[in-house]
Amino acid sequence: MKIIPELQDSVVFYIYWIFAGLAFIQLLYSILFFGRLAFWKNKSVSSDLPPVSIVIAARNESDNLYQNLPKILEQDYPAPFEVVVINNQSMDDSKYLLDALSRQYPNLVVMEVERSKHLAPSKKFPLTMGIKKARYEHLVFTDADCVPASDLWLRKIVEKFSDKKQIVLGYGPYNKRKGFLNKIIRFDTTMIAVNYFSMAINRVPYMGVGRNMAYTKSVFQSTNGFKSHYSLMSGDDDLFIQEAARKNNYTIQLDPESFQYSEAKDNWESFVLQKSRHYTTSPRYKVFKKVMLGIYPASLILMLISFVLLILQSGWWIHALAGFGFVTLIKWWLLGVCFKKLKSPGFIALLPLTDLAYVLVLPFFYYSALQKNSSRWK
C-alpha cells in the first residue's frame, strides 16, 4: 500500500525541477561558504604587536576569577598589556579577590560597579566603562569563566590586527564533558562558529563571540558604542559587529592556540535561557543578513520535502537519490574540514544526520524557548 498516491507526471516534473533548484542552492552555498572556510589559510597579519588592553566584565565570578584570571595576566606577550576587570555589582567575594590579585599583578586594573536597582545586569554598561578606562587603543575581550587554550592566546589574537583590520573575530568552544546535553551544546557552538566565520570570509559579517574577540577604541567610538541596542540584554557581540564591520575592516582567527574554552551549561533550563537571550537580537538584523542566514536552512528543509515526494514516485527515485546523495557528500566533506579546523572531529561521522536534525529542530527550539523564558532573563 502506497503512503501517498502517484502524482500526475506534470506535477512530478515540477517537483523534480524544484528539487534540482534547491539542490543547486545547497551545493552552491556549501562551496561558497563552507568551502571557503574549509580551505581558509590562517596567516598572521602583523608581526609588530601593539600594547593591548584586555577587558573582562565579571559578575559574581570569584571562583572563576581565582582559577582563570592568572592565566590571562601571565600571557606570553612581548608588548605591554593590561587586564581591566570590571566587577559588575557582584555580591560574592570578587572584590577582595581582585584586590589581592592587583597587589600581585601590576598589570591588573580593577573597576568596581556598585550595586544599584537602576542598573540592569547586562554586560554593556560595564564593558563601556572598561573600554573608557582602558589605556590602550587595541582592545581584547573575554569572560571570567574562560580559559585560554595557551599562553599565546593574546599574541595570536592581536597579531591579526593591522592598519586595515580593526576587528578580530575569535572562537570560544566549550569543554568536552560527558552527557547528551554537552554534545548538543558543543555541536551548536561549532555550527554557529562555522556560520559566522564563513559569512565573515564572504563579507557578510554578522557576529562574533564576546568571550573571544577584539577591536579598537576607534571602532567602538564609530558606532557610539552600544547606544543603538543598549536596551537589549544581548547584542554586544552581534549587533555591534553588524554596525562596526565595514569596508573589510575585520578578520578572523582560527589558530587553535587562540581559542578560549569555557564550561557549557549543565542543565536544560540554563541552556534554554541562554539561547533565548541570544535570540532576542535577531529581529534587529537587517533584511539582507536575515535572508543570507535563512537561505541554507530553508533550502535544506524544502529540498528534503521534495526529495521525499520524488522517492515515493515510481521512476524518479534514482534521480532524486543521486542528486541528494551528491549534495550530501559534498557538504559532508566541506563541513567535516570546517569541524576539524575548529577541533571538533568527533561530530564529523554523523554530520549528514546532525546537520539535518539541527536545521529542523533549532527554529522550533528557539521559538519555544523565547516564549517560555522571555520573562525570566537575568
Side-chain angles (χ1 to χ4, degrees):
M1 180 178 179
K2 289 185 176 294
I3 299 176
I4 63 172
E6 289 281 348
L7 301 174
Q8 295 181 0
D9 288 343
S10 59
V11 175
V12 177
F13 182 77
Y14 284 122
I15 293 175
Y16 173 75
W17 282 108
I18 291 173
F19 167 77
L22 293 166
F24 177 76
I25 292 173
Q26 281 281 296
L27 185 62
L28 184 63
Y29 187 98
S30 299
I31 292 173
L32 292 180
F33 287 85
F34 303 150
R36 289 197 68 186
L37 176 61
F39 298 103
W40 172 263
K41 300 297 184 183
N42 196 60
K43 298 180 180 178
S44 300
V45 174
S46 175
S47 58
D48 185 16
L49 300 175
V52 175
S53 295
I54 302 171
V55 181
I56 301 173
R59 178 178 169 85
N60 297 326
E61 298 274 13
S62 59
D63 290 342
N64 286 323
L65 289 169
Y66 175 76
Q67 295 178 5
N68 304 331
L69 189 54
K71 298 173 185 176
I72 301 293
L73 290 159
E74 296 170 3
Q75 284 288 296
D76 180 7
Y77 192 73
F81 75 96
E82 63 177 358
V83 180
V84 181
V85 177
I86 309 91
N87 189 25
N88 183 29
Q89 308 178 70
S90 294
M91 294 179 286
D92 60 4
D93 294 330
S94 295
K95 175 178 172 56
Y96 307 107
L97 173 66
L98 290 169
D99 286 344
L101 288 173
S102 64
R103 290 192 291 270
Q104 181 180 355
Y105 295 97
N107 59 334
L108 174 60
V109 179
V110 179
M111 293 186 67
E112 290 289 336
V113 178
E114 299 298 333
R115 294 194 296 274
S116 171
K117 62 181 180 180
H118 303 294
L119 290 177
S122 168
K123 288 174 61 178
K124 293 175 184 176
F125 177 74
L127 284 178
T128 302
M129 294 298 98
I131 291 169
K132 290 181 178 180
K133 181 71 172 179
R135 184 187 309 173
Y136 303 118
E137 167 71 6
H138 293 80
L139 310 170
V140 178
F141 298 85
T142 188
D143 290 338
D145 63 347
C146 292
V147 180
S150 74
D151 62 358
L152 296 178
W153 161 72
L154 183 58
R155 183 193 297 255
K156 293 296 181 180
I157 291 293
V158 177
E159 72 182 13
K160 284 290 188 174
F161 278 119
S162 70
D163 292 338
K164 294 182 178 179
K165 306 298 182 183
Q166 297 177 303
I167 301 173
V168 182
L169 306 179
Y171 181 42
Y174 289 107
N175 291 318
K176 184 177 180 180
R177 298 290 184 248
K178 294 181 179 179
F180 183 61
L181 176 60
N182 182 267
K183 288 184 172 65
I184 289 178
I185 294 175
R186 288 188 295 110
F187 179 82
D188 174 56
T189 302
T190 308
M191 280 301 300
I192 290 172
V194 168
N195 282 323
Y196 75 74
F197 280 139
S198 60
M199 293 283 272
I201 291 172
N202 283 276
R203 300 191 177 185
V204 192
Y206 74 96
M207 69 166 284
V209 288
R211 58 188 180 272
N212 199 12
M213 62 190 302
Y215 48 82
T216 62
K217 276 192 177 184
S218 299
V219 163
F220 184 75
Q221 293 165 354
S222 71
T223 65
N224 290 318
F226 307 126
K227 184 177 180 180
S228 66
H229 48 87
Y230 188 80
S231 61
L232 298 179
M233 288 287 290
S234 298
D236 57 283
D237 54 5
D238 57 351
L239 297 179
F240 173 77
I241 290 299
Q242 291 178 36
E243 290 183 356
R246 56 175 72 98
K247 295 182 180 179
N248 203 27
N249 67 339
Y250 51 88
T251 187
I252 66 174
Q253 174 58 283
L254 297 179
D255 192 309
E257 289 190 298
S258 73
F259 295 174
Q260 277 279 9
Y261 286 87
S262 55
E263 292 295 332
K265 300 297 183 182
D266 58 3
N267 63 79
W268 285 97
E269 183 180 12
S270 297
F271 177 52
V272 168
L273 286 171
Q274 182 185 57
K275 299 304 293 183
S276 299
R277 188 169 60 251
H278 294 167
Y279 193 55
T280 57
T281 59
S282 60
R284 298 284 190 98
Y285 286 20
K286 292 182 178 179
V287 174
F288 176 71
K289 289 197 166 91
K290 288 181 179 179
V291 171
M292 293 303 297
L293 290 170
I295 286 175
Y296 179 78
S299 60
L300 179 55
I301 291 172
L302 293 174
M303 185 181 74
L304 177 64
I305 294 172
S306 57
F307 168 71
V308 172
L309 291 174
L310 289 174
I311 284 290
L312 298 174
Q313 305 301 312
S314 59
W316 292 91
W317 68 270
I318 295 179
H319 304 284
L321 190 61
F324 193 86
F326 178 74
V327 172
T328 299
L329 286 173
I330 296 297
K331 288 201 304 177
W332 195 354
W333 168 48
L334 295 176
L335 274 174
V337 177
C338 293
F339 270 60
K340 190 174 181 180
K341 274 182 179 287
L342 297 177
K343 298 300 178 182
S344 298
F347 294 111
I348 295 175
L350 296 177
L351 264 177
L353 296 176
T354 50
D355 176 42
L356 184 58
Y358 186 75
V359 166
L360 290 171
V361 173
L362 197 58
F364 299 100
F365 174 78
Y366 278 159
Y367 178 77
S368 174
L370 181 62
Q371 295 300 310
K372 292 179 180 178
N373 298 290
S374 59
S375 64
R376 301 174 61 187
W377 289 326
K378 297 181 179 180

